Amino acid sequence: MIEFGTRKRYQSAREILQDLTGQSPATSIQSPATPRYSPTPATPVIQTPPPPKVAANIVLKSARGVNYSRLQQLLAARKWKEADEETGKVMCRVAGRESEGWLRREDIDNFPCEDLRTINQLWLNYSNGKFGFSVQKDIYESLGSTIKYNGEIEDVEVLEKFADSVGWRQGGRWLTGRQLTFNSAVFNSAVPKGHLPVPGVFGGEKSVFLGIAACGVPFLAQRLVTCRI
């Protein structure tokens, strides 16, 4: 646990100077004043931005009766890794694929719009618009995607450019799920937009190459368009 230190409140510039020099600014050279105390190293104060408040205007709708409260709490607390894992779990729960732990193309094609919208809104809200499936869709399309929303990926190069853009590939090599950046991701300018969440599709454990998970992006993009998200 980190305890925050208490800063001394100064009433005037005189008090500040007195603490810094150990003597009153009005003291003459002939009769120096005795310091009131021996200076000791100041206790460092670690400042962290306060977590965003839980948004009351997000209605956690689910067509399958799935509870999204835990996902909301994790995102509100900026626990990005846990939130990413919880996203995969709730999506498998919605699709009835909890035992398998991953989604197939047909699961994405039939994923309830209500649930997809709820998940996306939560990520958008608590990342200030930096993370979410709709963010990833916009990036994918902006790179020249030729997907015709008929379920076919026509340009693998675009998918690789997308992965480069969101930080799933570096130096032309696919990363693994363990190499994702989670710590204070939303506040770190080095973390790309759309970095999270990672879709768990096509048998892709997130510990293996993210190229497997990335293959689900075009189909998620298609579903988002269908759901008007």
Side-chain angles (χ1 to χ4, degrees), residues 1-7 42-48:
M1 179 180 295
I2 298 175
E3 295 186 1
F4 289 79
T6 303
R7 294 182 181 272
T43 301
V45 178
I46 300 175
Q47 295 180 338
T48 56

Side-chain angles (χ1 to χ4, degrees), residues 81 175-182 205-210:
K81 181 178 181 180
L175 303 183
T176 68
R178 293 190 180 94
Q179 294 172 303
L180 288 172
T181 303
F182 291 106
E205 285 287 338
K206 293 181 183 180
S207 60
V208 301
F209 290 114
L210 292 175

Side-chain angles (χ1 to χ4, degrees), residues 1-2 5 32 48 52 66 74 76 86-88 98 114 130 136 150-151 161 183 185-187 205 211 223 226:
M1 179 180 295
I2 298 175
T48 56
V66 173
L74 291 171
E86 179 69 9
T87 298
E98 287 185 89
E114 280 185 322
K130 189 166 186 175
Q136 294 170 350
N150 59 2
K161 290 178 181 178
N183 294 334
V186 73
F187 300 104
E205 285 287 338
R223 188 60 180 162
T226 302

Side-chain angles (χ1 to χ4, degrees), residues 146-220:
T146 55
I147 188 171
K148 294 181 179 179
Y149 299 110
N150 59 2
E152 299 299 328
I153 304 174
E154 297 185 359
D155 195 340
V156 175
E157 290 185 6
V158 173
L159 193 59
E160 291 177 342
K161 290 178 181 178
F162 166 82
D164 292 336
S165 178
V166 301
W168 294 357
R169 286 200 341 157
Q170 291 182 3
R173 301 186 65 177
W174 289 95
L175 303 183
T176 68
R178 293 190 180 94
Q179 294 172 303
L180 288 172
T181 303
F182 291 106
N183 294 334
S184 301
V186 73
F187 300 104
N188 188 343
S189 59
V191 177
K193 193 172 183 179
H195 192 61
L196 298 173
V198 179
V201 296
F202 304 140
E205 285 287 338
K206 293 181 183 180
S207 60
V208 301
F209 290 114
L210 292 175
I212 298 176
C215 289
V217 171
F219 305 116
L220 271 171

Side-chain angles (χ1 to χ4, degrees), residues 50-151:
K53 296 179 180 179
V54 174
N57 59 335
I58 297 181
V59 181
L60 305 182
K61 292 183 178 181
S62 173
R64 304 288 169 80
V66 173
N67 189 336
Y68 292 103
S69 297
R70 175 169 166 75
L71 177 59
Q72 185 176 43
Q73 291 166 1
L74 291 171
L75 287 168
R78 294 191 179 95
K79 294 183 177 180
W80 306 113
K81 181 178 181 180
E82 292 85 349
D84 186 58
E85 293 172 350
E86 179 69 9
T87 298
K89 290 178 182 178
V90 294
M91 291 187 73
C92 287
R93 195 172 303 147
V94 169
R97 300 275 297 174
E98 287 185 89
S99 59
E100 293 81 2
W102 52 275
L103 303 179
R104 304 161 298 181
R105 170 179 160 184
E106 54 263 42
D107 299 319
I108 297 176
D109 291 343
N110 296 290
F111 202 87
C113 294
E114 280 185 322
D115 293 78
L116 191 58
R117 183 173 289 105
T118 296
I119 294 169
N120 188 60
Q121 284 181 334
L122 287 171
W123 275 97
L124 284 175
N125 181 78
Y126 293 106
S127 68
N128 296 321
K130 189 166 186 175
F131 302 140
F133 292 134
S134 62
V135 175
Q136 294 170 350
K137 174 182 74 74
D138 292 343
I139 294 171
Y140 181 67
E141 292 180 331
S142 72
L143 293 171
S145 166
T146 55
I147 188 171
K148 294 181 179 179
Y149 299 110
N150 59 2

